[in-house]
Amino acid sequence: MKDRLEKIKERYKEINEALSDPSITSDIERMTKLSKEQRSLEDVVNTYNMYLSVEAEIEELKEMSKDSDPEIREMADTELEDNKDKLQTLEDKLHRLLIPKDPNDEKNVIVEIRGAAGGSEANIFAGDLYRMYQKYAEKQNWTLSVINALDSDAGGFSQIEFTVKGDHVYSYLKHESGAHRVQRVPQTESQGRVHTSTATVIVLPEAEDVELEIDMNDLRIDTFRSSGKGGQSVNTTDSAVRITHEPSGLVVSCQDGKSQHENKATALKVLRARLHDKIEEEKREKEGKERRNKIGSGDRSEKIRTYNYPQNRITDHRINFTIQQLDRIMEGRLDPVIEALVNEEYKRKLENGS
């Protein structure tokens, strides 16, 4: 492990020297790339320096423990035990930091929620899920913006798409993709019977321009009048945009922006994320790689979670996690569920050594 850490430390030094060179400002792309790499290595290097410092202190205390003065020996022995504990804690942290990170973890996300099985109740539940993520985003100081929404007559949404921007958003929300099942008595149910409905969620990391270049000749761009709730200009001009990527058949619509230009830019961003995800999925299938560290398949048809209202219970089926705090979780207090999923991912990576 030390050899690897020394190489990381040396690389960190090289990056710092490169970034301190005034000529770097003429190459924005390289400067951005190096700054990003610097941030990714910073915690590892700082922890390793602390580890080396404690290790050196332990060697000094070992010498002091051989001193002829009994008081010095006693003090040295006490501090030696404390420092051994510190060293072990730092070593454990270094092992965690050296586990390869998901390259998408730092990215913003695009989320799509659709009402699925259950008719109007499924659409109402899709709306409930949207509000849950909206409140969770607020608590995390993230910015949530709706891209496109198709309201349901009974309430909720038949479909809603939105972006979430902030610190390491994908690392928190990446396990939310799949089918979410709700068990509760619908407002329209006169007999008090519990119904089961589902809504699907898909979470995509935003793809940067450099990751995927789109040929504009492959796109068909249509404009139309927004049908959603909006300001004065939104519903009176053809500001909504629909982009069809003809080679793949993917279609993206955006109507919640203030202008056609804004909607087009957002729709292209969503299209880029969907195309990137499609390419990555095809690559994984072609290579036949086992996704050992992934919790669940990430497929929207996979039932990942059940929200049981009568028993105030939420269960994540992928990790057999159950908590009777459904009322709190629907108010955006998702931390217990998110933490359980993140910890399970970390555990699997440790077990697989990657």
Side-chain angles (χ1 to χ4, degrees):
M1 183 177 79
K2 269 198 170 183
D3 288 344
R4 188 177 169 192
L5 286 164
E6 284 295 336
K7 287 176 183 176
I8 290 171
K9 189 175 178 181
E10 183 61 30
R11 175 59 184 160
Y12 186 71
K13 183 181 175 183
E14 289 172 4
I15 293 169
N16 285 339
E17 288 173 356
L19 288 171
S20 63
D21 186 340
S23 65
I24 192 73
T25 55
S26 62
D27 190 344
I28 299 299
E29 188 177 331
R30 182 167 178 260
M31 185 172 73
T32 302
K33 189 176 179 182
L34 286 173
S35 297
K36 190 175 181 180
E37 188 180 356
Q38 181 194 48
R39 288 194 301 273
S40 72
L41 298 179
E42 195 166 31
D43 201 9
V44 178
V45 172
N46 289 341
T47 304
Y48 181 49
N49 285 336
M50 288 170 63
Y51 178 89
L52 293 174
S53 176
V54 173
E55 194 177 49
E57 198 170 332
I58 285 173
E59 291 304 312
E60 289 180 14
L61 288 167
K62 282 180 179 177
E63 289 300 314
M64 289 175 64
S65 66
K66 299 173 186 175
D67 198 276
S68 57
D69 188 328
E71 287 188 8
I72 291 177
R73 286 203 306 273
E74 185 181 355
M75 180 195 70
D77 288 341
T78 301
E79 290 190 19
L80 192 59
E81 289 306 309
D82 289 343
N83 277 277
K84 282 180 179 178
D85 290 340
K86 282 182 191 176
L87 195 71
Q88 186 59 55
T89 300
L90 290 167
E91 187 174 331
D92 291 343
K93 184 178 179 180
L94 285 169
H95 277 297
R96 288 198 301 274
L97 290 171
L98 288 175
I99 293 172
K101 293 179 177 65
D102 185 329
N104 293 320
D105 275 351
E106 294 182 6
K107 293 183 179 179
N108 299 322
V109 302
I110 294 163
V111 183
E112 176 193 288
I113 305 175
R114 289 176 181 261
S120 59
E121 175 62 16
N123 294 339
I124 292 169
F125 180 51
D128 293 338
L129 289 176
Y130 165 68
R131 283 184 287 276
M132 176 184 76
Y133 292 127
Q134 184 183 41
K135 289 176 180 179
Y136 181 64
E138 287 174 4
K139 293 179 190 302
Q140 298 293 116
N141 292 316
W142 295 338
T143 302
L144 185 149
S145 304
V146 174
I147 298 169
N148 192 43
L150 298 176
D151 297 330
S152 169
D153 292 338
F157 305 96
S158 59
Q159 178 184 341
I160 183 166
E161 295 166 274
F162 53 94
T163 61
V164 186
K165 298 181 178 183
D167 189 28
H168 291 78
V169 179
Y170 187 72
S171 68
Y172 289 89
L173 296 182
K174 62 183 172 183
H175 301 304
E176 295 302 298
S177 292
H180 295 238
R181 182 175 69 173
V182 63
Q183 295 174 327
R184 63 185 176 191
V185 179
Q187 293 178 358
T188 54
E189 171 56 57
S190 58
Q191 303 297 319
R193 290 173 297 187
V194 173
H195 286 226
T196 299
S197 306
T198 59
T200 59
V201 175
I202 185 165
V203 178
L204 300 175
E206 278 191 353
E208 297 171 16
D209 293 359
V210 293
E211 292 177 305
L212 182 66
E213 189 174 338
I214 296 176
D215 186 345
M216 298 302 286
N217 293 319
D218 290 337
L219 305 181
R220 187 177 77 244
I221 302 175
D222 301 305
T223 59
F224 57 98
R225 190 158 296 181
S226 171
S227 59
K229 303 179 182 70
Q232 189 174 340
S233 62
V234 173
N235 295 315
T236 56
T237 62
D238 291 343
S239 60
V241 173
R242 182 186 299 109
I243 299 179
T244 303
H245 184 254
E246 295 185 330
S248 67
L250 288 174
V251 180
V252 174
S253 297
C254 183
Q255 62 176 345
D256 278 57
K258 293 179 181 178
S259 67
Q260 188 181 115
H261 178 75
E262 185 180 331
N263 283 328
K264 181 181 175 183
T266 304
L268 281 171
K269 187 179 292 186
V270 175
L271 178 63
R272 185 173 281 109
R274 287 187 180 173
L275 279 171
H276 189 264
D277 182 66
K278 184 180 174 67
I279 292 166
E280 289 299 307
E281 186 62 38
E282 288 172 355
K283 190 191 298 182
R284 283 190 291 263
E285 288 178 7
K286 186 177 179 181
E287 294 173 353
K289 286 183 179 178
E290 183 185 1
R291 295 157 77 182
R292 298 174 300 170
N293 299 331
K294 190 168 178 65
I295 297 172
S297 67
D299 190 281
R300 67 174 68 192
S301 64
E302 179 193 18
K303 183 186 72 179
I304 64 166
R305 198 175 292 157
T306 295
Y307 301 71
N308 186 299
Y309 276 73
Q311 297 179 28
N312 195 35
R313 184 183 72 227
I314 186 168
T315 299
D316 196 292
H317 304 288
R318 297 163 296 178
I319 58 173
N320 296 319
F321 175 83
T322 297
I323 188 170
Q324 288 183 296
Q325 293 182 10
L326 179 57
D327 53 344
R328 291 167 57 86
I329 285 162
M330 296 310 290
E331 288 300 313
R333 298 176 186 178
L334 264 168
D335 295 301
V337 182
I338 299 291
E339 285 172 11
L341 289 161
V342 169
N343 289 337
E344 179 63 22
E345 180 188 31
Y346 166 62
K347 177 185 168 187
R348 292 185 188 187
K349 283 184 175 180
L350 276 180
E351 288 172 351
N352 293 321
S354 63

